[in-house]
Amino acid sequence: MAEPIRPVRVVTVEKREAGETVSLTGQVQAQEEVSLSFRVGGRMLERPVNVGDRVEAGQVIARIDPEPARNALQTARANLAAAMGQATRVRNDYDRQETLLAQGWTTRARYDEAQEARKSAEAQLDSAQAQLNIAEDQLGYTELVADGPGIVTARGAEPGEVVAAGRMIVQLARQGGRDAVFDVPARLIQSAPADPVISVALTSDANVRTTGRVREVSPQADPVTRTFQIRVGLNDPPEAMRLGSTVVGSMQLGGAGAIEIPASALTQSNRQPAVWVVDRATSTVALRNIDLERYDLARVVVAQGLETYDVVVTAGVQALRPGQQVRILGAAPGPTP
């Protein structure tokens, strides 16, 4: 009994001469963002800046109650004065014992005691001086000062709160470079050219645009989305590209020619991707393995295995056998040899 002729739909493949343009949506962020905090704890009295304010280097960001630090400083000064008096007394006693020992009016043991007392008093004097220096620094730490210009992007405490040392008071986006940050699928990272030029435009106004290059690629994928965060350093970003603005980044992929086929044409042979190719002369099909460059739910980009003008079955692939005769129901538009 003759095997029935299977009706199939096909597409005549052709090589694309231009690369694919990929666009992703991202956000403008500062290249450098720091959290400013006090080195000492205490009750915060004021925070004269708020979110969105521009600050300059040396500007006071916040203050905590300085009274405990002032009292500690007075205590350190008093301890230093007492240590200086003690050091002077034992130094005079040592000088006297040194003179008496030279004249034979005192013992070596009494001289050694005076010497040890002098060394101990000098050590206590050094310690008191160090404690005074620390107390002076602690008083200076009651004022939080910006170490560079930038814009306040977040606040972490309000006046009246008791804050611990190291707690974020304000977050500051440094003045200077800006990044466009995108979440990129792994397949795009793998197929992207080396050091690509990224075109970046505002979603609200496509005329506001600039270019940039990849500055940083996250080494680990997001555990939920399985995408990698990429930071693109912007070249002379327009003023309208403010922090937090939504932007679209575009990149050209695959400058060389490539062959695309519908995803429905894809099947498997020997655990490798394959397609059914129609012989024009005999109207029979043969299974051919192919190498994939990339794919999605709608299309497949073929790296090797197909040539221009090959006729590929796109519908009915599961009911075919090698050498089976087919009847073409329709073909997608494509070139003819």
Side-chain angles (χ1 to χ4, degrees):
M1 182 177 177
E3 192 172 14
I5 299 176
R6 294 285 183 181
V8 294
R9 294 191 181 276
V10 301
V11 64
T12 302
V13 301
E14 60 179 333
K15 183 172 291 188
R16 293 184 295 107
E17 297 301 332
E20 175 190 10
T21 299
V22 176
S23 297
L24 294 172
T25 302
Q27 192 179 57
V28 176
Q29 296 181 9
Q31 281 192 0
E32 186 178 356
E33 199 167 42
V34 295
S35 296
L36 301 182
S37 58
F38 288 106
R39 298 189 186 185
V40 295
R43 186 171 66 89
M44 191 166 69
L45 299 180
E46 62 175 329
R47 193 204 63 235
V49 299
N50 213 328
V51 175
D53 291 348
R54 186 179 297 274
V55 300
E56 302 297 333
Q59 181 176 340
V60 176
I61 301 297
R63 290 185 177 91
I64 60 174
D65 187 0
E67 283 306 313
R70 288 198 184 108
N71 294 337
L73 179 59
Q74 291 178 358
T75 300
R77 285 172 176 166
N79 291 338
L80 178 62
M84 291 176 66
Q86 177 69 8
T88 299
R89 186 183 68 79
V90 298
R91 191 180 297 115
N92 291 337
D93 183 58
Y94 169 76
D95 291 341
R96 184 166 52 254
Q97 291 298 321
E98 187 178 35
T99 300
L100 293 175
L101 180 65
Q103 297 175 355
W105 295 102
T106 189
T107 64
R108 169 63 67 174
R110 181 68 185 87
Y111 169 78
D112 290 343
E113 289 178 1
Q115 188 178 45
E116 291 299 323
R118 179 180 66 86
K119 292 180 179 180
S120 177
E122 289 177 350
Q124 292 178 2
L125 179 60
D126 291 341
S127 176
Q129 182 62 58
Q131 293 298 321
L132 177 62
N133 295 339
I134 292 174
E136 290 174 343
D137 290 340
Q138 297 285 334
L139 181 59
Y141 295 154
T142 60
E143 286 190 347
L144 182 59
V145 178
D147 58 351
I151 298 175
V152 178
T153 58
R155 62 178 186 267
E158 299 295 331
E161 291 187 46
V162 176
V163 297
R167 176 178 173 181
M168 188 270 285
I169 304 301
V170 296
Q171 199 168 57
L172 192 67
R174 301 281 196 195
Q175 182 177 320
R178 273 174 276 175
D179 287 344
V181 182
F182 303 95
D183 292 326
V184 181
R187 66 178 184 86
L188 290 184
I189 296 177
Q190 295 168 0
S191 59
D195 195 22
V197 176
I198 312 297
S199 177
V200 180
L202 280 179
T203 55
S204 58
D205 186 358
N207 293 323
V208 179
R209 60 176 53 248
T210 184
T211 60
R213 293 186 181 274
V214 175
R215 190 176 66 83
E216 180 182 305
V217 179
S218 173
Q220 185 173 358
D222 184 276
V224 177
T225 64
R226 309 310 302 171
T227 58
F228 293 82
Q229 187 180 87
I230 288 184
R231 304 183 72 92
V232 176
L234 301 179
N235 301 322
D236 298 324
E239 189 64 28
M241 282 190 180
R242 298 180 178 88
L243 296 177
S245 299
T246 303
V247 293
V248 174
S250 302
M251 178 181 65
Q252 197 77 11
L253 285 182
I259 289 177
E260 284 186 5
I261 58 174
S264 60
L266 195 62
T267 185
Q268 192 179 64
S269 175
N270 298 325
R271 298 185 179 181
Q272 296 295 325
V275 294
W276 290 100
V277 179
V278 178
D279 187 325
R280 293 176 183 268
T282 62
S283 295
T284 57
V285 293
L287 198 58
R288 185 184 301 177
N289 288 112
I290 59 174
D291 292 333
L292 303 185
E293 181 177 319
R294 59 184 180 276
Y295 62 92
D296 54 33
L297 294 177
R299 58 183 176 172
V300 174
V301 179
V302 180
Q304 291 182 357
L306 290 178
E307 299 294 336
T308 305
Y309 307 133
D310 282 343
V311 179
V312 175
V313 178
T314 61
V317 297
Q318 302 303 327
L320 297 177
R321 297 179 181 177
Q324 186 171 10
Q325 195 168 19
V326 295
R327 176 169 56 88
I328 297 175
L329 293 179
T336 55

